[in-house]
Amino acid sequence: MSKANLLDRRQVVSALLANRKDVVAIGGLGASTNDITAAGDHARNFYLWGGMGGAAMIGLGLALAQPTLPVLVITGDGEMLMGMGSLATIGLQKPANLSIAVLDNEAYGETGGQTSHTSAAADLVGVARACGIKDSRAISTMAEVEAFAKAVHDLTAGPRFASVKIDSANLERILPTRDGTYILNRIRGDLGFQPI
Amino acid sequence: MHARTDAADTAPTWPDDIFATLQRFDVRQVPYVPDAGHSKLILRVLDSPAMRGIPLTTEEEGVALLAGAWAGGQRGVLLMQSSGVGNCINMLSLIPILRFPFLTLVTMRGEWGEFNPWQVPMGSTTQGVLELSGIKVLRASNAAEVPAVLEAAAAQAYNALTPTAVLLSQRLIGAKVFTK
């Protein structure tokens, strides 16, 4: 299904990463990883092909290990729902350098477009705020996306959360590498860590 | 409050042995789901300026957290109870794919003097589940074994990238008794 005037996911992710500088970007399993790849491969991209529900916690581990580095998790509503409890863990730790953007098309796009809970009563922004992530935004315009992208670089005011309502159109898959060891070691290498 | 059938005269020191080993191996992030068997170790971690204790809402969060920690240059250890192992199964698939150091310390239920039958199915299969997930399992059944077992586990987890679980036996922890 396609609703009127919803944002295009590729444009949203391109805007989030347009001036990324040092940002580490973590893509949840599914379309958001394709979107990050479409915006341009990068040594600091953490592509997930599994671990459904774990994207935000990978972001937390990285943000705590590198508190002066902006960390941006870009995931989908289904993936975030599967790890919703992690919002409480993040709210407790308050990593100032962590941002989470949920591309919310209200559907499980990867598995055939079944509607997700966010198409009905589930309000992820409300959940994030209730879990202690005070800067939690419902985003529906590109201006708001660009404001969030700018905020990602503020390492003093996080954590922050956004649900970005997007069109549920399935776009061409732009596939990143599937080699998890390469993905992880490339990030570590870019951060100055040698293989053991 | 609950009684323990094998309560010692003095407080157990084996958690201090664990803590010393974790310090020596430069463990920084310690995700955990609060658990009585780990409570002394958790307190030591929370008091330590070099470590960060991170309460989780569910144990599988800790597996993903340790992947992110390693990507960012830090080692971690996941503390949980045997029932928590059951919550982790799919997330454990990250370990061989990403190949990050994984160490977990598991306080055991359902295997020795257990009063609660609901704990027995997961407690009885904890080792099997971990091994099927590709994780080496070591066990400490008494306090004297803890230092050597922890040393071996940490060495192979952090130096050889061999994912490792240490099962802290219910005999070591002490069986809970709620019934009269």
Side-chain angles (χ1 to χ4, degrees), chain A residues 19-21 23 63 67-72 94-100 135 137 146-161:
Chain A
N19 297 296
R20 68 183 292 167
K21 301 189 183 72
V23 168
T68 62
L69 198 64
V71 177
L72 173 60
K94 293 199 187 330
N97 57 327
L98 178 63
S99 304
I100 301 168
D135 182 353
R137 316 179 189 189
E146 282 149 10
F148 189 81
K150 188 174 178 184
V152 165
H153 296 271
D154 183 347
L155 304 182
T156 64
R160 62 184 63 79
F161 179 92

Side-chain angles (χ1 to χ4, degrees), chain B residues 3 10 12 14 16-17 37 43 50 63 65 71 95 99 101 129 137 172:
Chain B
T10 58
W14 57 264
D16 301 312
D17 296 326
L43 287 175
V63 182
L65 180 81
I95 301 169
R99 203 150 185 259
V129 162
V137 175
L172 170 70

Side-chain angles (χ1 to χ4, degrees), chain B residues 6-176:
Chain B
D6 59 350
D9 293 331
T10 58
T13 58
W14 57 264
D16 301 312
D17 296 326
I18 295 178
F19 178 76
T21 302
L22 298 179
Q23 277 206 313
R24 199 166 351 101
F25 279 90
D26 193 29
V27 170
R28 299 298 194 84
Q29 295 191 29
V30 184
Y32 64 91
V33 169
D35 167 60
H38 276 311
S39 58
K40 188 176 183 191
L41 175 58
I42 291 168
L43 287 175
R44 293 288 315 260
V45 166
L46 293 174
D47 278 348
S48 167
M51 291 182 187
R52 185 167 185 148
I54 302 160
L56 307 172
T57 69
T58 182
E59 290 83 351
E60 76 261 32
E61 291 177 6
V63 182
L65 180 81
L66 294 193
W70 181 245
Q74 289 189 343
R75 294 173 171 175
V77 63
L78 172 57
L79 310 182
M80 60 180 161
Q81 201 181 71
S82 45
S83 49
V85 171
N87 289 343
C88 290
I89 293 167
N90 187 52
M91 205 64 77
L92 294 174
S93 67
L94 290 178
I95 301 169
I97 293 295
L98 295 174
R99 203 150 185 259
F100 59 94
F102 180 78
L103 176 64
T104 182
L105 311 182
V106 180
T107 55
M108 292 298 293
R109 292 290 301 271
E111 61 166 20
W112 192 86
E114 180 64 61
F115 91 101
N116 180 1
W118 295 57
Q119 288 282 359
V120 175
M122 190 62 226
S124 303
T125 54
T126 297
Q127 174 153 353
V129 162
L130 288 165
E131 287 174 345
L132 274 176
S133 301
I135 296 174
K136 298 288 188 187
V137 175
L138 304 180
R139 175 180 282 269
S141 293
N142 56 66
E145 287 182 332
V146 169
V149 170
L150 252 294
E151 179 77 24
Q156 66 190 40
Y158 300 123
N159 295 337
L161 287 179
T162 299
T164 302
V166 173
L167 306 189
L168 299 167
S169 156
Q170 193 165 19
R171 187 164 192 167
L172 170 70
I173 302 295
K176 290 183 176 178

Side-chain angles (χ1 to χ4, degrees), chain A residues 44-66:
Chain A
R44 294 187 179 197
N45 285 352
F46 201 143
Y47 306 115
L48 283 173
W49 284 88
M52 187 87 171
M57 288 301 294
I58 290 179
L60 177 61
L62 231 165
L64 294 177
Q66 292 286 334

Side-chain angles (χ1 to χ4, degrees), chain A residues 20-46:
Chain A
R20 68 183 292 167
K21 301 189 183 72
D22 292 334
V23 168
V24 177
I26 299 160
L29 168 64
S32 59
T33 277
N34 297 333
D35 298 328
I36 290 169
T37 312
D41 188 37
H42 192 285
R44 294 187 179 197
N45 285 352
F46 201 143

